[in-house]
């Protein structure tokens, strides 16, 4: 269950972050967070860097209530993105796991389990913003951007999906709140909150802008002897 939760969180994070692949023209820090984000959308190509991902929860009834959110799980690693539709989210600690999208399929590789799971990218990412954010369309066409408070040295922006009259039951996003912290034209943090009050916080570091990535960066071949699952 823990790894399934992380996969869901990672999928949403990378789906969003493909949108934020840094641009050559970086917004000045004086610009609002929403405007910095829009400049990313207009100019993003590729990016890579490091991440730390934390799962947070509120204190339980028998725990001190003045300590704020508690870190219950933390992973870290390296990411790389190329629009449209390609990414590698490489978790290195505390266990090795890769989530890879090559434009056609989504691949989860778990080294400890010696298992690779393949599924069609579009179907696997249908419940995330990926279907919108992998493309080249305008961010404002699909989300309302709401500037929030300045905290932790970042300008925060809330992304609220716009209602699609052609979609029954509203959007299928697994998170009720998506916020991005921008600083000096760079996305520095993402906060994802679900309806149960669980929070995923991803902080980003050492981001390289519009780098040239090798063509095979998003290829993956399971090692000999690995269990391979192919889901339709």
């Amino acid at each position: 269950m823990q790894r399934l939760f992380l996969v869901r969180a990672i999928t949403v994070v990378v789906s969003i972050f493909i949108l934020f692949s840094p641009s050559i023209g970086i917004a000045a820090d004086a610009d609002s967070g929403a405007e910095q984000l829009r400049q990313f959308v207009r100019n993003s190509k590729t990016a890579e860097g490091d991440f730390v991902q934390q799962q947070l929860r509120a204190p339980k009834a028998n725990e001190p209530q003045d300590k704020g959110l508690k870190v219950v799980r933390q992973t870290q690693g390296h990411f790389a993105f190329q629009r449209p539709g390609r990414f590698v989210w490489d978790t290195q600690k505390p266990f090795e796991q890769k989530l890879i999208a090559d434009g056609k399929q989504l691949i989860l590789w778990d080294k400890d389990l010696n298992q690779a799971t393949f599924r069609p990218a579009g179907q696997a990412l249908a419940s995330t913003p990926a279907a919108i954010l992998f493309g080249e369309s305008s961010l404002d066409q699909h989300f309302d951007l709401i500037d929030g408070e300045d905290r932790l040295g970042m300008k925060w922006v809330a992304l609220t999906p716009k209602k699609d009259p052609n979609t029954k039951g509203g959007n299928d996003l697994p998170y009720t709140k998506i916020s991005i912290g921008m600083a000096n034209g760079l996305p520095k943090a993402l906060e994802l909150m679900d309806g149960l009050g669980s929070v995923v916080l991803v902080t980003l570091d050492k981001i390289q802008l519009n780098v040239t990535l090798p063509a095979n960066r998003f290829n993956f071949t399971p090692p000999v002897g690995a269990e391979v699952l192919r889901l339709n």
Side-chain angles (χ1 to χ4, degrees):
M1 288 296 295
Q2 292 181 356
R3 295 196 179 193
L4 288 176
F5 178 90
L6 287 173
V7 169
R8 187 182 75 163
I10 290 169
T11 303
V12 174
V13 169
V14 296
S15 300
I16 296 170
F17 197 83
I18 283 180
L19 179 64
F20 307 148
S21 301
S23 64
I24 295 176
I26 298 178
D29 187 54
D31 290 342
S32 70
E35 183 55 33
Q36 293 184 44
L37 191 51
R38 289 186 180 100
Q39 290 197 32
F40 271 120
V41 177
R42 287 193 294 265
N43 301 303
S44 61
K45 298 298 181 182
T46 65
E48 64 177 338
D50 296 333
F51 71 86
V52 174
Q53 179 170 316
Q54 296 175 317
Q55 181 187 346
L56 312 174
R57 65 164 175 81
K60 296 181 179 179
N62 60 347
E63 296 176 339
Q65 300 298 302
D66 60 347
K67 300 297 184 181
L69 294 175
K70 180 180 179 181
V71 178
V72 295
R73 192 169 299 111
Q74 176 171 303
T75 61
Q76 64 187 73
H78 190 81
F79 67 84
F81 298 92
Q82 179 177 311
R83 294 186 67 192
R86 296 182 179 185
F87 67 78
V88 174
W89 191 263
D90 188 359
T91 300
Q92 298 165 351
K93 295 180 180 180
F95 49 80
E96 294 186 35
Q97 189 179 74
K98 294 180 187 290
L99 192 64
I100 305 164
D102 62 8
K104 296 181 179 179
Q105 56 191 350
L106 184 71
I107 308 159
L108 174 63
W109 164 246
D110 192 308
K111 183 177 180 180
D112 289 347
L113 298 178
N114 195 29
Q115 182 183 83
T117 303
F118 292 74
R119 65 189 71 193
Q123 182 178 351
L125 299 175
S127 63
T128 77
I132 297 172
L133 303 182
F134 280 160
E136 300 295 335
S137 56
S138 169
L139 177 65
D140 290 286
Q141 181 180 348
H142 302 286
F143 291 93
D144 290 319
L145 303 187
I146 303 173
D147 280 306
E149 61 182 341
D150 292 4
R151 57 186 171 90
L152 303 176
M154 292 174 279
K155 296 178 182 293
W156 288 84
V157 187
L159 273 68
T160 303
K162 293 184 177 180
K163 294 182 178 180
D164 185 347
N166 298 318
T167 301
K168 296 181 180 180
N171 71 79
D172 294 325
L173 299 180
Y175 290 93
T176 58
K177 183 178 179 181
I178 301 171
S179 299
I180 300 94
M182 304 291 297
N184 296 317
L186 293 173
K188 293 294 186 179
L190 296 91
E191 285 184 346
L192 309 170
M193 182 180 296
D194 65 19
L196 300 177
S198 180
V199 178
V200 173
L201 174 63
V202 180
T203 54
L204 308 168
D205 192 21
K206 300 179 181 178
I207 301 174
Q208 298 182 54
L209 313 180
N210 284 334
V211 293
T212 300
L213 300 173
N216 63 355
R217 183 66 179 272
F218 308 101
N219 296 343
F220 178 78
T221 301
V224 175
E227 180 183 9
V228 176
L229 303 177
R230 298 189 182 275
L231 307 180
N232 297 323

